[in-house]
Amino acid sequence: MKRAVYPGSFDPITYGHLDIIDRALQLFDELIIAVAVNPNKRALFSQEERCRMITEIVGNRSGLRVESFSGLLVTFVAARGAATIVKGLRAVSDFEFEFQMALLNRQLAPTLDTVFLMTQDRYAFLSSSSVREIASLGGSVHQLVPPSVEEALRVRFEVTPTPVSNGAHVVERD
Ligand code: ADP
């Protein structure tokens, strides 16, 4: 039984993540999507919201589980009886960081390995942060995220224009 863990913030999940999930499921019998609490990043969606969104989208795929985790990734991976960490690679800029993380994780847990799956070129530019930014500015993320995520972003960024004295408008969140 080959079990792997795919960790990330998934704030929110995108078609780029889903592509990695589908391809990882071809390689492993079980995949655990590990939704991280990152104390250094201010998340748009809470960990519960992110887990719920992912479960709704991928819940029916066999061999797949969604869990939240905090703390050291290697500790979580070992506790789940998995031997592999799955990561996606988009660009050379991802490689620098991921290479360092993979080596650090190997130092911490020599029996665990990291497997990198290369993004499809149509998702190479896609990140959760760009999705958040586009949605916050009122742009369409239709091609980038599943419909339920698009709707959650719309609700989160629902804005009410408020007139100000110089005739311009400031935008306030509800
Ligand atoms: P981000 O906020 O950069 O989208 P996450 O922490 O949610 O990142 O990413 C989790 C994992 O998914 C990382 O290994 C990341 O490289 C990978 N990933 C994110 N977006 C893509 C994409 N468009 N194509 C391939 N891998 C991706």
Side-chain angles (χ1 to χ4, degrees), residues 3 7 15 40 48 60 82 86-87 96 100 103 106 115 122 138-140 142 144 147 161 164 170 173:
R3 185 177 294 156
Y15 283 135
N40 302 319
E48 294 71 35
N60 58 357
V86 171
K87 305 250 52 199
E96 288 277 338
Q100 193 183 359
L103 291 182
R106 176 169 297 157
V115 164
R122 66 175 181 276
S140 170
H142 183 68
L144 311 177
V164 290
V170 290
R173 274 221 218 147

Side-chain angles (χ1 to χ4, degrees), residues 37-71:
V37 186
N38 185 342
N40 302 319
K41 275 194 199 169
R42 210 175 143 256
L44 176 63
F45 294 103
S46 71
Q47 203 182 20
E48 294 71 35
E49 288 171 320
R50 286 178 274 147
C51 286
R52 201 177 334 115
M53 274 192 265
I54 300 170
T55 306
E56 274 169 25
I57 293 160
V58 298
N60 58 357
R61 282 173 220 195
S62 75
L64 197 64
R65 215 157 76 210
V66 182
E67 284 191 45
S68 58
F69 88 101
S70 56

